[in-house]
Amino acid sequence: MIITANVTVALARVVRVDPGEGRLAASLFALMFMTALGAGSGLTAADALLFSREGVAALPQLYLALGVVSVVVALGVSVVFGALRRDRVYPIALAVLTAAPLVLRLAVADPAGHAYPAMWLGANVVASLQGIVAWGVASWLCDARQAKRLFPVANAAKILGAIAGSAAVAPLVQVVRLEDLLVLWAGTLAVAVIVVLRLRRGAPAAPLVRRDVALRDELLVGFRVVRASPLLRALALSLVLFSVLFFALALPFTRAAREAYPREDELAAFLGLFGATTTAAAFLASLFLANRVYARFGVVQPIFVFTLIYLAGFVALALTDSFLVVVAARWLQLAWLAGFADAAYQALFNPVPGERRDQMRAFMEGVPGQAGIALAGLLLLVGDRALEPRQVAAGGALVAALSAVVIWRTRGAYREALVAALRTGRPEPFQGARLAYGRLAQDPAAVAVAVAGLWSDDGPTRRTSAQILGDIAPASARAALGRAASDADPVVRAAALRGGARLGGAEFIAAARAALDQADVELRAAALLVLHRAGDAGAAARLRAMAGDPDPAARHAAMVAIAEADPPAARVVALGLATDPDGAVRAAATDVLVERDPAAALGHAEAALAVPLERDRALAMLEALPAARGSAVLGAFALERRARAQRDRALARSLPPGELAELLALSLQRRAARAARQAVRAAAVLSGRVAPVALLDGLASDEASVRAEALETLESHVRPDLVRPLLALWEGTPPSAPLSELTRDDDPWIRDCATQLERAGGDDMATLATIPTMERVLFLHKVPLFAALDPVDLQQVARVATERPFFAGETLFRQGDRGDALYVVVDGALRIEQDGRPVATRGRGEVVGEMSIVSDRPRIATVVAAADGRALSIGRAEFESILRDRPETAIGVIRVLALRLAEATAAR
């Protein structure tokens, strides 16, 4: 037993199967092996029967027919896959395919008949369909990361089955008739049905996305999806080209083999031996090399190498017609296809949405793939009559070169498709918002709506309209903006003046002079911007003086105005404000430096990486600087952030049980997540790219499938030498680390938690008798209102909260009072009354009084103590500050308000 376990562990290490994936890997192995076993012998028998009894003269026509028939069948299959649940369609499809080889055997029951071309067509269609189903099962059960590990294992099983099936042909034909091998094929498919049924038991039910569309529209879905996806468009074109290449090489190989082995049994034995040796090499490559190649170079590179193999093969055939050269070219092409390219191609479908993935795989194999076969048959038919074999080979070399270009460009399409797949689960509604916003200037109807909004009695509507028109400054809104420049609302006036600075005109100059003495700094800055644009020399001096104002809001407004009014001068001012103590001012200044002085911006950004609160801003700057790709400081930062993430995760795993330990572990895990996020962003910049928000959020997702897609995207975005250490943050197991390290941590919150935990010996701090800061944090992190906050942020909330004891019968506030605080119940209970009638009771961890603070309206209920207890009180100003600084708190507010709404609805 121990020996078996050790062998299993060793084998798992060799083929890179993770713990817990053994049953899935074994089932996929069995499925692929059985389907390939039957096809290996059945297709060899079909080839030998056709070539020996009908000859090879009709092959071009058969290729053409195969393409047409397969397109029709694949379109039908794609519709079926789109209409049935995957866990149901797979066993049904395999059961139907099981009967097909038996029908083909009956078709050639008469050795003197002429059904061999039809039998050959049918056998190839069955082989294609069983491959679609088998890989569909694999895609259904594997996420993007498992695909990289398990697809090579599945592919190795497929190859091993092909080896066994091909090698068995020679001995089997000594005891049974060649056509009887089709019966063996049916038997292996029957076993595959059983395997799929067993797999279905342990897999979650596959949901069906019902589409109430007509059959004609469903048939067109594949075309629409392909047209909309750059990745699928590239794959469709490459499939057409690969089909042409495959059969353009298959024809000279088949002819050469037929001439070298004229006897039926000799031809069958040669084809069996050739297939066995080809697939044996592919098996070893797939089992021991493929997943390592994919991990190192990605899944597109092996397909690109495949195109180079074709190119070299056709160049060699254009120079010589030697039988050995033909065999060698075909052998290498088939070995690489089965060993590396096939599984890599299947993995390229991972970004396709799951509900469409099987349908698109069937569509791609059946339409562009089979169209390529038909095209190959047509080209070979014409070439046979009009061209010499070496000229046909030269044409094949040109097609191979074109396919290499297509696959090389597919790398970027695959990367973008992965990001798009992540964004499907994490939409980014403001991505590209600036561009879309600017297009409003080209839409007269949109401009008219904004102009009408300037005269609204609603203040927010008027402000929004003015800001839109001020930013896009359309000439058609000149008169409206001129009137708005004298609006009573300073926000509206400032926005109108910003637009007027771009449009120019006496009305804006007059309004600007009238606004110079206003208290609102944004309005003053906009007025100076108008005057500066009009050539007023004094305006430039006043803007520079404003950039030195003690008020950070004034400095920020001045920096923005100078950047628009005088870009050369803005660089000088920005150099002085790049180290401003106010974050908004620094951000505005560094934005200018990124555009006007990249070298200085790089230096500031590198220095800011050492300041914890500035790191994200610094990374945003570096993402906009091409020179950052060679930054040694950024490289060291990426390594340090990765090390910090690994250390924090290790420490979080090492903590003893207990409430305080749980809080400390949460702090460490979230700090590790921030460090990992920063490491990924830095690595992406060093790779010459920007890490998409969807990728960063996907890496932090709790869903394994989303995280797997994010890791796959990460590999495509970051250089191999940088990505491999990063992957260990999510796929490796961190070692344990001593708690004593935390008592020397550079973060005061972490250090205080660790010190308190060490003193307590790991025990929970169960009581809140005095509610000091540490215990308040322990309490608040379980309150739904603050669940989204990091513990270090909860520390700030705990510090602004005050303890409020209450006694049974005491009234905390009355209905109609102005809301000046909310209360979080620590002990005891509070009764909620409306119009003198009790409506609810709030206990430990629940919040009261939040409604009037959020709505800025009087209290809607009276709160009376139902029993002695205590609460933590947070004032209006403090709570609004929390919402501004930590918007994630709003999620908790929304949940509480939704609960209140549900309670109110239920009480009616």
Side-chain angles (χ1 to χ4, degrees), residues 152 155-156 159-160 163 276-288 290 331 334-340:
N155 197 49
I159 297 168
L160 186 61
I163 293 173
T277 57
T278 303
T279 49
F283 169 74
L284 295 175
S286 182
L287 189 61
F288 299 111
W331 191 95
L334 290 176
W336 190 273
L337 171 63
F340 294 100

Side-chain angles (χ1 to χ4, degrees), residues 300-382:
V300 180
Q301 291 295 89
I303 305 176
F304 177 71
V305 173
F306 187 48
T307 65
L308 300 183
I309 291 172
Y310 270 124
L311 180 60
F314 280 113
V315 168
L317 290 177
L319 298 175
T320 178
D321 56 1
S322 167
F323 177 65
L324 290 178
V325 171
V326 175
V327 172
R330 182 67 169 171
W331 191 95
L332 184 58
Q333 171 250 323
L334 290 176
W336 190 273
L337 171 63
F340 294 100
D342 192 18
Y345 163 77
Q346 300 297 336
L348 290 179
F349 283 91
N350 285 323
V352 178
E355 68 273 12
R356 284 288 187 194
R357 192 173 299 154
D358 300 322
Q359 186 182 14
M360 290 314 303
R361 182 179 277 110
F363 175 85
M364 295 289 281
E365 291 284 351
V367 179
Q370 302 306 324
I373 296 174
L375 180 60
L378 183 61
L379 292 176
L380 291 173
L381 191 62
V382 174

Side-chain angles (χ1 to χ4, degrees), residues 454-473:
L454 282 177
W455 315 122
S456 172
D457 293 332
D458 180 61
T461 299
R462 206 164 66 254
R463 290 182 178 185
T464 302
S465 298
Q467 289 167 343
I468 290 174
L469 294 172
D471 284 344
I472 63 179

Side-chain angles (χ1 to χ4, degrees), residues 599-618:
L602 179 61
H604 280 287
E606 289 178 336
L609 290 174
V611 183
L613 294 179
E614 291 294 309
R615 283 171 179 155
D616 288 330
R617 175 65 191 167

Side-chain angles (χ1 to χ4, degrees), residues 80-81 83-96 133 136-137 140-141 193 196-197 199-201 203-208 210 358:
V80 172
F81 278 11
L84 296 177
R85 280 174 28 181
R86 286 176 288 172
D87 54 347
R88 293 178 180 173
V89 74
Y90 294 139
I92 293 174
L94 281 176
V96 172
V133 173
V137 172
W140 166 41
L141 298 173
V193 173
V196 172
L197 289 173
L199 275 170
R200 191 176 66 169
R201 292 177 189 169
L208 170 65
R210 296 198 175 276
D358 300 322

Side-chain angles (χ1 to χ4, degrees), residues 520-612:
D520 188 273
V521 294
E522 297 286 348
L523 179 56
R524 289 208 318 271
L528 290 171
L529 173 60
V530 171
L531 296 175
H532 192 293
R533 284 279 182 87
D536 187 329
R542 291 189 66 173
L543 273 176
R544 286 194 296 272
M546 192 175 179
D549 194 287
D551 181 4
R555 297 197 299 274
H556 179 269
M559 183 71 262
V560 173
I562 294 171
E564 186 170 345
D566 189 355
R571 172 187 170 276
V572 178
V573 176
L575 284 170
L577 295 179
T579 56
D580 193 275
D582 183 78
V585 177
R586 288 196 304 275
T590 52
D591 282 343
V592 172
L593 289 180
V594 166
E595 182 179 354
R596 309 296 306 179
D597 192 346
L602 179 61
H604 280 287
E606 289 178 336
L609 290 174
V611 183

Side-chain angles (χ1 to χ4, degrees), residues 623-905:
E623 287 170 343
L625 295 169
R629 185 170 186 173
S631 171
V633 174
L634 183 61
F637 174 78
L639 292 175
E640 185 277 327
R641 292 285 85 193
R642 180 178 65 84
R644 168 51 66 93
Q646 287 178 318
R647 171 183 174 272
D648 281 352
R649 286 179 175 169
L651 288 166
R653 286 168 52 88
S654 304
L655 295 176
E659 189 178 17
L660 181 57
E662 177 186 334
L663 185 67
L664 179 55
L666 179 62
S667 301
L668 290 168
Q669 289 163 359
R670 292 189 175 177
R671 188 171 73 173
R674 285 194 298 271
R677 188 183 184 101
Q678 290 165 350
V680 169
R681 291 183 69 183
V685 172
L686 292 168
S687 303
R689 298 191 178 95
V690 175
V693 174
L695 164 61
L696 299 171
D697 288 351
L699 292 172
S701 174
D702 293 330
E703 295 184 32
S705 60
V706 175
R707 201 163 54 248
E709 287 183 355
L711 289 170
E712 184 70 9
T713 307
L714 175 62
E715 281 198 322
S716 70
H717 262 70
V718 176
R719 290 192 337 236
D721 60 313
L722 295 172
V723 77
R724 284 193 295 275
L726 289 174
L727 291 176
L729 293 176
W730 290 274
E731 296 188 325
T733 301
S736 59
L739 175 63
S740 59
E741 285 191 29
L742 292 175
T743 60
R744 302 186 299 274
D745 195 89
D746 53 3
D747 185 318
W749 164 252
I750 299 290
R751 189 170 60 246
D752 290 349
C753 282
T755 301
Q756 185 75 25
L757 184 62
E758 194 172 54
R759 288 174 181 170
D763 292 337
D764 285 353
M765 304 180 71
T767 63
L768 296 171
T770 57
I771 325 186
T773 300
M774 187 68 68
E775 285 83 342
R776 287 181 183 177
V777 173
L778 284 169
F779 170 69
L780 288 172
H781 96 281
K782 296 181 180 179
V783 174
L785 188 65
F786 302 109
L789 291 182
D790 282 350
V792 68
D793 294 326
L794 288 176
Q795 186 183 26
Q796 305 306 317
V797 177
R799 286 173 176 166
V800 301
T802 57
E803 185 177 353
R804 168 67 160 88
F806 52 80
F807 304 95
E810 179 184 356
T811 300
L812 273 70
F813 54 79
R814 297 184 181 278
Q815 187 173 345
D817 289 350
R818 181 182 183 276
D820 57 357
L822 62 80
Y823 301 90
V824 184
V825 180
V826 177
D827 292 316
L830 297 174
R831 185 172 64 252
I832 313 299
E833 299 178 353
Q834 283 186 322
D835 301 324
R837 179 173 59 87
V839 295
T841 301
R842 307 286 180 230
R844 180 180 174 87
E846 294 188 281
V847 182
V848 297
E850 79 289 340
M851 296 285 283
S852 63
I853 291 182
V854 173
S855 65
D856 197 21
R857 298 173 66 86
R859 302 285 195 187
I860 63 173
T862 297
V863 172
V864 179
D868 293 352
R870 291 164 301 140
L872 290 178
S873 172
I874 302 175
R876 170 189 293 272
E878 290 80 4
F879 188 68
E880 289 179 346
S881 176
I882 292 169
L883 287 175
R884 284 194 300 271
D885 294 341
R886 293 294 182 268
E888 55 266 36
T889 308
I891 297 173
V893 173
I894 291 171
R895 287 174 179 154
V896 170
L897 294 180
L899 180 62
R900 299 290 184 265
L901 178 62
E903 290 176 347
T905 303

